Amino acid sequence: MKHIFEQKVYYSDTDAYGVVWHGAYLRWLEMGRVELCAMMGFSITDLAQNHDIVLPVVNLNLKYKMSARLEDEMIIETEISEFKGFTVTFKQCIKSKETGKTFVEADVVVVAINNDGKLYRKMPEILANSFEEAVKCPVLV
């Protein structure tokens, strides 16, 4: 399963030279992960409020390939590349809509904790089955 959305670069995303500030990419990556979970039927707020599950990032491997600039149209792609029972890895890419060239590639690893910050030793079943299925049957949506 893959989530894809488009995002335009605005002034608030850039530095004084019209180049995207490096931290702005993290916000778009998070949007992709949240929307992929929603597409799978999981609301982040519902997980926290009704199931005592929060999904914090524990590892982020980010490769900056080239800079996006003011008013660039970007495509953000997110999919689950690996599920180990304890962690889930999201593979993400931000690229130019116009040229298809990659701005950023990322592998983002998350775990499950409860609202008090206690780590679940394995992914709660409500998520585990869906994450397993997403890795087995990647479908473009």
Side-chain angles (χ1 to χ4, degrees), residues 84-122:
K84 293 185 174 180
F86 174 64
T87 63
V88 61
T89 303
F90 294 86
K91 180 181 174 119
Q92 298 186 267
C93 180
I94 301 177
K95 59 187 174 183
S96 168
K97 180 179 178 181
E98 182 182 341
T99 67
K101 290 184 179 179
T102 300
F103 296 125
V104 169
E105 292 176 343
D107 289 307
V108 182
V109 180
V110 303
V111 295
I113 63 173
N114 69 16
N115 289 317
D116 294 325
K118 184 178 180 206
L119 182 68
Y120 288 106
R121 287 294 172 193
K122 66 179 190 173

Side-chain angles (χ1 to χ4, degrees), residues 4-65:
I4 300 172
F5 74 100
E6 295 180 12
Q7 177 69 42
K8 184 177 181 177
V9 175
Y10 294 100
Y11 280 115
S12 61
D13 304 316
T14 64
D15 61 18
Y17 304 103
V19 174
V20 170
W21 173 65
H22 68 279
Y25 296 102
L26 299 177
R27 185 176 64 251
W28 298 318
L29 295 173
E30 180 182 15
M31 291 165 66
R33 292 190 308 277
V34 168
E35 293 302 324
L36 177 61
C37 286
M39 196 169 86
M40 295 172 71
F42 305 114
S43 159
I44 297 300
T45 53
D46 178 61
L47 286 173
Q49 292 173 0
N50 299 318
H51 301 282
D52 197 27
I53 301 169
V54 181
L55 300 172
V57 172
V58 294
N59 190 12
L60 171 65
N61 183 8
L62 188 63
K63 295 178 186 173
Y64 295 97
K65 301 284 196 169

